[in-house]
Every structure is written in structure tokens, then in C-alpha cells.
Amino acid sequence: MDTVLRIENIHKSFKAGFIPKRKKILDGISLEVNGGEIFGYLGPNGAGKTTTLKCVLGLIFPDKGKIQIFGHSNLSLQAKEKIGFLPENPYFYDYLTATEFLSFYSDLTLVKKENKQAQIENLLQLVGLNQAADLQLRKFSRGMLQRIGLAQALINDPSLVFLDEPLGGLDPLGRKEIRDVIIRLKEEGKTVFLSSHILQDIEMICDRVAILVSGKIINQGALQDLISEKVKVTEITLSGVKTEDCKDLGDCYSAQEGRIFLKVFEEEKIATVIQLVQTKKGKIHSLIPRTETLEDLFVGAVKQR
Amino acid sequence: MKIRAIALNTFKEAIRDRILYLLLFFAALCIILSRILALLTIGDRAKIIMDVGLASLSLFGVLMAILIGTGLVYKEIDKRTLYTLLAKPIQRYQFLLGKYLGLLLTLFVMLVLMTLVFLVLILLHRYPIEGAFFLAILFVFVELCLITAVALLFSCFSTPILSTLFSLSFYLIGHLSWGLETLINKLPQGGIKTLARILYLFLPNLENFNFKTEVVHHLSIPPKIFLYSSLYGIFYTVFILALAVMVFRRRDFI
Ligand SMILES: Nc1ncnc2c1ncn2[C@@H]1O[C@H](COP(=O)(O)OP(=O)(O)O)[C@@H](O)[C@H]1O
Ligand SMILES: [Mg+2]
């Protein structure tokens, strides 16, 4: 697998405030993205994800460091011809219709004139906006803007797509649909670089992730390396047992209707719990083993700071 | 090609601006008022109509250029439409030139509309029209090219209100600077005089584009002056555009 994006030690600071004071936003970011993977760039709000993306896309210039896309400088046209970008909370020329807008952006790329119309129709189909093809963008809802944003990012059939918070502001159904599009991009052999502060939707589709906190990458790698498969805690709901009997087995909370909610941390103790319930003629309502999630990793990392 | 696409989109956007039509309305009003003004005065009525009419064309053209021009780039940054545009395979100078040409196209259309109103008034009264009349309007457009470039330059690094103030100052200085020449001639020889001369050289002189007097008084325009004014307009505009590109090229869009 070849590296399609290489970021080497970039630094960026902004001047802010009434008396300009330099504020460090990015503090030596380095990462590599391989061809064909979905790369998750994760971190809490204000970590510097958007700033990194703006550096990569040449909207701002890093103070220090190097960025290469397909072996070219990120500012070169060769690089830009192969990429697509969906910004955070996208907003576009609201007096254009969806078709006019995509047609305008198509003229800025190498797309051939004769393929243009068909490609625009395909894209609108892909993001589920074919009903809105002739609607002005001013009449678009938040979710529709996100979709047309995705469509414009794909207008030049890019090999590498940057998506900044692609699922932000969408309802669960919308999130699922966009996620499906992202997976489809991967199936077509494209590389996807996506940033997010929400983890649930992302962790199941990313091949590799980097975790960014306060402008520094604190952890990166394949998901299965970062998250152990080991069961951390088992959550059991049971009834017909006295709370005192469960005290030594784990954290126990009494829930409604005489039920007990029990968190068992050692795997050996689960058998004991089941035995106890059987002898007391009680009932187990649910038993859920929880493995470590990206969320835990994330929270842990942020807490360390 | 890419510049053309951006220019056309800019035109589509600018032509929707209501300010444009408000100014167009006032320009037409002024042109028509010049007719009433002419009735009230003794002397050559055609002269007054020509004078006031051409002045309105120039003034309202400049106001359009400044009010639209200063918001053009700012709006793209403010509404973040620029982010996706600059991520496309275009160079920043192409974006800027596209914006510039799109606005010029808009101003051209507006100037044509204002000229049409003017022509209707002139033809209604059967005043004679000379070639110099159209030449004067052409130079109004040359002036607009320069002012638009200036508005674009300022809008690359400041807010629309400040850019408007700066551009208006440029316009005023440009029309008053010729007065400085008489002042300089009266200065005693020496360092101060040389300094004032150098300053004068860099100050814009927009009177170069003003051919009202020639039209009003039916004077002929010597080809040499015509050539000088054209070259002056072209070089000054290119210089300002180059500055704008330099500012815009290294800017962070945060
Ligand atoms: N224009 C700016 N001037 C000063 N600080 C900024 C500016 N833009 C963003 N920041 C700061 O940079 C940090 C990172 O912002 P951002 O990259 O948008 O974070 P993220 O996308 O990860 O939420 C934040 O702390 C934010 O306050
Ligand atoms: Mg962000």
C-alpha cells in the first residue's frame, strides 16, 4: 500500500485577542494515510482538526512542516486535481440551483464537457438529491447542504476525499446514508480522510485513526491495535436476589421493580453471579459484556491532559 | 476557462444585488433632472445636459464599483464559500481575476443601461451626438476598471466598510490630485519640491480619464492625450491587480 497523504511535523499558531498573542493550535502533527483506507481524524472540539485540514487544502499556511499529496506538494494543481473536500457546516452560493452549482464547480476541474451532465446526475443520485436538482440552494435544509457538499467534493472523481465532520447536524437516518456513501467510496478504491468529534458513527467504518488533543496526536494506528478485545465490564440486570448478596461481586445499583443492575469487572465472577441467581430462584433479565470502545480511549486521553 | 467560470458566477451573483438597481434608479433620475435643470438656466441647454449626464454616469458607476467590489471577496470569506472553491484545482490568482472580470462585466452592463437612458434623453431633444461622447463614456469605463481593482485590493485584507472608505478616498484623491501640481510649481527649489514631485507621481490622477469638457465644448481630443490616458489606465490597473494578487496569495483563510 502506498502513502497518499503525508503530513510531516506541521506547526501552526494564530494571533488572537486585543493585544495579539500567539496561540499555538497545531504542535507538530505528523501522519500518513495509505491508499484505499478510511482514516479517522478524531478529537474533541477545538483540538485542531479543522485547522489541520485547512493546512492540507492550502487555505492556510503552516508555520513549519511539509505536506505531500500523492507525492506532490499540497499546493500544486496535480495534487488538487486528485482530491475533494467537504468543509464543516458547508455553505454555498445560495442563488444557484443544485445542478447549476455542480456545473459551475465542474468547470473548475478537468471533467470533460460531454461527461458533465451525466456525472452531475449520477452524483445527485448518489447523495439522494435527485428530487432537488432544480431547487435553489437557499431552500436547502442543513442535511441537504451536507449532501450537496459531499456531491461537490466528488465532482472531479477524486482519489482522496477529505470530509470535515461529515455526519455533523444530521439525523440518525441521514447519518446512516452518508456513512453508506463513505463505505461505497472505499469500495470504489478511494481513500477517505474524515474528521469527527463524535465517535459512535465513525469507529465502525475506520480502518485507522489518529487521536488529536490540543494540537498533538496522542495516539494513532489500526483500530484493533488501539482497542483491546478484552471484556472490560459485564453489565447484568437481575431480580429475586438481595442487594447485599451482590455487594462483593461488583458495583451494584438497585433499579426499578426490585431489579438490580450489576457491573461485574472480573470475568470469573460472572459464573458466581449466575450460580447465585439460580440458587435463589431469581431471574437474569440481561447480560451484556462491554469491550473497550474508542470512546473510552478518547475520554482517557483527554483526561490525562 | 476556469477564470471564465468564476467570472460568470460572479456576474450572476453581482447582478442580483439590489444596491445596483437603487443606484441605477438614481443615475436615471439625475440624468432626467439635468433636463429640468437645463430649463431653469440661461445658456446652452445641451451643454448642461451633457455635463450633468456624464458626471452622473461616472459618479454612479464608481459607487457601483466600490459598493459591490468591496464586498465581493469579503463575502466569499465570510460565508465560507471560498473554502471549497480554493480546494478545487485553481490558483488563487485565477480566483481573484475571475472575481474582477465578473464585476467588470456587471459594471459594463450597468454602464450600457445608464448610457441608454442618457441617449434616449438626448435623442428626444434632437441634440447632436459626436464621437467624442462615446469616447468620454469609454473612459468612464476605463476609470471603473481602475476603481474596481482598487476596491478588490482593499477587500483582500479589510472589511467592506473600511474598504469602501479607502476606495472612496482613492477616488477623491484621484480627482483632486491635479491641484497639487500648481502647488508644487509654487514651492521653492529643493528637497521638499523633489519629494512632493515623487509623491505626485504615485498619486492617482483620475482626471486623465475625464473628457467631459471636451465633449461639452465640442473640443477635439488630440490622439496623444488619448493614448496617454489609455496607457495610464492600463498600467495603473495592472499594477493594482498585481498588488491584490500578492496580498491574496499569502493570506490565511481562517
Ligand atoms: N481564527 C482563529 N483565531 C484564533 N484561534 C482560532 C481561530 N480559529 C480557530 N482557532 C482556535 O483553534 C483551535 C482549533 O480549532 P479547530 O481546528 O476549528 O478545532 P476542531 O476542528 O478540532 O474543533 C480552537 O481552540 C480554536 O479556538
Ligand atoms: Mg472542526
Side-chain angles (χ1 to χ4, degrees):
Chain A
M1 255 189 303
D2 41 343
T3 307
V4 296
L5 169 69
R6 172 173 291 133
I7 299 179
E8 274 172 41
N9 195 28
I10 58 169
H11 290 255
K12 180 73 189 174
S13 53
F14 286 142
K15 286 201 208 80
F18 181 64
I19 302 162
K21 197 174 144 237
R22 291 207 86 83
K23 188 177 159 211
K24 232 183 169 102
I25 307 294
L26 298 181
D27 191 8
I29 303 283
S30 298
L31 58 85
E32 285 184 9
V33 177
N34 300 324
E37 71 179 352
I38 298 182
F39 188 91
Y41 196 48
L42 311 172
N45 278 320
K49 303 181 296 292
T50 302
T51 308
T52 311
L53 277 174
K54 282 185 180 173
C55 285
V56 172
L57 292 152
L59 295 170
I60 61 179
F61 301 96
D63 304 332
K64 207 171 110 185
K66 206 167 116 187
I67 302 170
Q68 283 196 317
I69 298 175
F70 296 103
H72 302 288
S73 150
N74 63 325
L75 302 175
S76 68
L77 290 189
Q78 290 109 305
K80 283 183 167 182
E81 265 149 20
K82 290 191 184 152
I83 62 173
F85 171 48
L86 167 68
E88 193 175 11
N89 305 322
Y91 185 85
F92 304 107
Y93 306 96
D94 56 10
Y95 48 91
L96 297 178
T97 67
T99 309
E100 283 169 348
F101 170 64
L102 291 181
S103 161
F104 167 37
Y105 269 23
S106 173
D107 290 342
L108 302 177
T109 65
L110 294 178
V111 177
K112 294 216 173 59
K113 273 264 175 302
E114 57 268 27
N115 303 341
K116 194 165 107 176
Q117 210 49 43
Q119 209 212 353
I120 289 174
E121 276 164 31
N122 279 342
L123 279 176
L124 287 174
Q125 179 86 36
L126 177 73
V127 298
L129 282 178
N130 29 1
Q131 299 294 325
D134 297 315
L135 196 66
Q136 273 189 333
L137 298 189
R138 70 169 74 243
K139 300 188 182 122
F140 271 39
S141 70
R142 179 80 185 70
M144 289 163 87
L145 278 176
Q146 199 77 23
R147 287 154 197 256
I148 193 79
L150 194 55
Q152 65 79 29
L154 302 175
I155 193 84
N156 52 341
D157 194 21
S159 313
L160 170 59
V161 192
F162 295 93
L163 310 172
D164 196 358
E165 310 273 2
L167 306 177
L170 296 179
D171 56 20
L173 187 66
R175 286 214 290 273
K176 184 186 176 313
E177 283 173 10
I178 298 283
R179 211 164 55 217
D180 289 346
V181 174
I182 294 174
I183 291 169
R184 223 167 112 183
L185 294 178
K186 180 185 160 148
E187 283 165 4
E188 286 171 17
K190 298 186 197 311
T191 312
V192 181
F193 183 104
L194 55 86
S195 96
S196 180
H197 70 277
I198 312 167
L199 305 173
Q200 316 133 10
D201 306 293
I202 299 299
E203 59 183 317
M204 43 181 125
I205 59 172
C206 288
D207 298 306
R208 287 196 314 134
V209 298
I211 296 177
L212 183 75
V213 178
S214 312
K216 277 201 170 99
I217 292 182
I218 53 159
N219 218 334
Q220 68 174 317
L223 259 186
Q224 59 267 35
D225 295 343
L226 294 185
I227 302 167
S228 61
E229 300 269 325
K230 210 178 116 232
V231 176
K232 275 181 64 190
V233 58
T234 309
E235 296 172 354
I236 308 170
T237 327
L238 43 88
S239 60
V241 180
K242 286 206 190 79
T243 317
E244 299 89 69
D245 298 337
C246 309
K247 278 263 156 62
D248 321 329
L249 298 170
D251 289 355
C252 94
Y253 313 86
S254 46
Q256 79 279 41
E257 295 166 30
R259 288 186 186 184
I260 295 172
F261 180 71
L262 188 65
K263 274 184 160 178
V264 183
F265 295 96
E266 294 96 349
E267 257 172 297
E268 317 84 68
K269 287 198 178 160
I270 295 171
T272 327
V273 174
I274 295 172
Q275 245 170 22
L276 181 75
V277 173
Q278 277 172 346
T279 49
K280 301 268 172 180
K281 298 254 172 339
K283 203 174 165 198
I284 292 185
H285 300 278
S286 70
L287 189 150
I288 310 165
R290 300 265 184 214
T291 52
E292 186 178 36
T293 61
L294 201 50
E295 192 100 31
D296 299 322
L297 195 71
F298 199 39
V299 171
V302 176
K303 269 191 192 144
Q304 269 177 22
R305 305 243 120 205
Chain B
M1 266 320 291
K2 292 173 184 176
I3 296 181
R4 203 186 76 158
I6 294 171
L8 283 180
N9 184 54
T10 305
F11 175 71
K12 267 192 206 166
E13 182 184 2
I15 206 80
R16 303 169 49 88
D17 204 318
R18 290 204 192 89
I19 295 178
L20 226 47
Y21 298 94
L22 195 71
L23 290 173
L24 194 63
F25 171 76
F26 278 115
L29 205 66
C30 279
I31 292 168
I32 292 164
L33 276 181
S34 73
R35 167 73 189 128
I36 298 167
L37 202 67
L39 285 176
L40 299 175
T41 43
I42 321 156
D44 196 341
R45 283 178 183 164
K47 279 193 175 129
I48 294 200
I49 292 181
M50 280 293 177
D51 205 6
V52 176
L54 281 175
S56 316
L57 239 61
S58 159
L59 178 70
F60 286 99
V62 164
L63 284 180
M64 286 175 185
I66 291 179
L67 289 179
I68 307 272
T70 50
L72 222 49
V73 173
Y74 182 83
K75 236 193 293 178
E76 295 253 2
I77 300 172
D78 193 44
K79 292 195 168 173
R80 303 188 317 267
T81 46
L82 188 76
Y83 290 1
T84 45
L85 200 62
L86 287 187
K88 295 279 173 270
I90 60 167
Q91 303 280 10
R92 286 192 177 185
Y93 81 87
Q94 291 177 314
F95 166 79
L96 210 58
L97 279 188
K99 284 267 136 189
Y100 178 69
L101 294 177
L103 184 54
L104 278 195
L105 181 62
T106 316
L107 293 172
F108 181 76
V109 170
M110 289 295 138
L111 195 61
V112 167
L113 287 178
M114 289 192 286
T115 306
L116 284 180
V117 175
F118 198 8
L119 276 178
V120 167
L121 184 79
I122 292 172
L123 292 178
L124 273 181
H125 293 283
R126 304 214 163 81
Y127 295 132
I129 299 181
E130 296 163 8
F133 171 76
F134 293 102
L135 207 64
I137 291 181
L138 179 71
F139 274 97
V140 168
F141 188 65
V142 174
E143 181 174 6
L144 290 186
C145 292
L146 175 54
I147 297 285
T148 305
V150 169
L152 198 69
L153 168 63
F154 287 130
S155 84
C156 284
F157 61 84
S158 73
T159 60
I161 294 178
L162 278 181
S163 308
T164 305
L165 283 179
F166 289 145
S167 310
L168 279 177
S169 317
F170 180 90
Y171 177 68
L172 288 180
I173 291 171
H175 277 289
L176 299 175
S177 64
W178 58 274
L180 216 62
E181 197 168 17
T182 13
L183 192 77
I184 291 171
N185 286 336
K186 285 192 184 134
L187 282 177
Q189 286 295 343
I192 296 185
K193 186 163 179 157
T194 330
L195 208 69
R197 281 224 170 278
I198 292 173
L199 180 69
Y200 178 68
L201 206 68
F202 280 97
L203 280 184
N205 184 355
L206 300 178
E207 284 298 314
N208 281 335
F209 309 129
N210 184 355
F211 290 100
K212 273 207 301 285
T213 332
E214 283 82 351
V215 175
V216 171
H217 297 288
H218 309 289
L219 304 173
S220 63
I221 302 171
K224 226 160 89 186
I225 302 248
F226 171 75
L227 190 71
Y228 173 76
S229 290
S230 311
L231 288 179
Y232 184 80
I234 291 169
F235 280 114
Y236 216 121
T237 305
V238 169
F239 171 68
I240 298 284
L241 282 179
L243 274 185
V245 167
M246 262 159 57
V247 171
F248 196 69
R249 232 176 45 163
R250 296 305 304 172
R251 225 201 109 147
D252 274 352
F253 296 107
I254 47 177

